Amino acid sequence: MVCRPAIHYYMHVSSRTIHEREIMLAEHPAMDQGGTQVRRSRVHAIERHQEIQVRWDEHIPLSAYARDAGGLAAQLRESWIGAVMPSPVNIGVAPGPGSLVSALVQDVGLLASPVGWEIYAGGHAEHPVKEGSLLGVAETQLQAAALATACLQWYRQTAWYDEPLWAWAERLGFMSIRETLLDDQLQKELAATLHVDL
C-alpha cells in the first residue's frame, strides 16, 4: 500500500520537477481501503493541510523592550508561502511577556526579550502540554527570522512525513539540533536551500 500524500511530500522536498512527479504518481497510484484510487482533490486537500500558520499579537504590552511582532510574523509568513511541510507547523510571535500569543507552546515561538528575540522550538499546546526549549537568542529581527527559518528548513529536510516538530526534536535530540542550527554557515545554506525549493 502506498501513501499518496507521503509520496507528494517526499517528491516535493527532494526538488523533483513537476514532470517527474507526475510520472512517479502514475506508476504508484495510492489506494484507499476499498481498493479504489484516491482522487486528486483529496490529495491536494491533504497537501494544503501541511502548511505553516503564523500567529502574532498586535497588542504591544507595556514593556521597555516590546518589539514589533507583526513585522516579524509577516516576514516569516512571506518566506514560507507555498512550502510543503512534513506536518502542520504553528509559529507564534509574541511582542512581550504579557502577550496573548504564548511563544512557548508553539512549534516555533519567538518572544521579545531585553536582548532582542528568544527563539523556542518543540512546544505544543495539545494534551499533555509541552513547553518549547530555547533554541537561541537573536539581537535583531533579521537574525531571529534567520534562526527560525533555519530551524524550519532543517525540520523540513530531516523529519519523517507526518512527524510533528516536537516529536522530531525529541527524536534527534534538542542539543544536537541547537548545535547544528547555531552554525552561521549552515544557517545561510539552509536559507539558500529554502529559496531554491520554493
Side-chain angles (χ1 to χ4, degrees):
M1 180 180 258
V2 177
C3 179
R4 191 176 182 110
I7 291 172
H8 272 277
Y9 167 73
Y10 285 118
M11 286 189 304
H12 185 80
V13 171
S14 66
S15 301
R16 294 185 185 262
T17 65
I18 293 173
H19 181 67
E20 289 174 311
R21 290 180 198 168
E22 293 301 322
I23 291 170
M24 178 74 88
L25 289 174
E27 293 173 359
H28 301 287
M31 299 292 185
D32 64 12
Q33 292 178 352
T36 58
Q37 188 169 348
V38 176
R39 290 178 295 190
R40 285 187 182 273
S41 60
R42 182 175 167 201
V43 172
H44 292 303
I46 292 170
E47 281 184 358
R48 281 194 297 272
H49 183 66
Q50 311 294 352
E51 295 178 345
I52 293 180
Q53 293 182 353
V54 181
R55 296 180 175 100
W56 71 95
D57 186 4
E58 288 294 334
H59 170 71
I60 298 177
L62 296 175
S63 173
Y65 55 87
R67 306 271 190 263
D68 176 27
L72 181 54
Q75 182 180 357
L76 288 169
R77 190 177 57 246
E78 288 172 14
S79 297
W80 287 93
I81 289 176
V84 177
M85 302 300 286
S87 181
V89 174
N90 292 314
I91 300 174
V93 183
S99 173
L100 299 174
V101 174
S102 177
L104 297 178
V105 294
Q106 305 292 328
D107 292 312
V108 175
L110 295 96
L111 176 65
S113 70
V115 295
W117 292 94
E118 295 175 355
I119 297 90
Y120 294 88
H124 66 89
E126 298 170 7
H127 182 72
V129 175
K130 181 177 183 333
E131 185 177 294
S133 299
L134 182 65
L135 183 61
V137 178
E139 291 181 8
T140 66
Q141 182 173 316
L142 187 61
Q143 291 171 339
L147 184 54
T149 297
C151 179
L152 290 169
Q153 183 64 10
W154 187 245
Y155 164 66
R156 187 172 180 233
Q157 291 179 356
T158 59
W160 298 327
Y161 177 77
D162 212 22
E163 180 180 30
L165 197 138
W166 65 267
W168 167 78
E170 287 180 358
R171 180 173 58 86
L172 291 184
F174 198 80
M175 291 308 292
S176 169
I177 294 169
R178 187 173 187 208
E179 289 173 7
T180 301
L181 294 177
L182 292 179
D183 178 8
D184 290 336
Q185 182 60 33
L186 183 62
Q187 279 186 27
K188 292 174 186 173
E189 290 174 12
L190 289 169
T193 306
L194 170 65
H195 295 302
V196 168
D197 287 351
L198 299 179

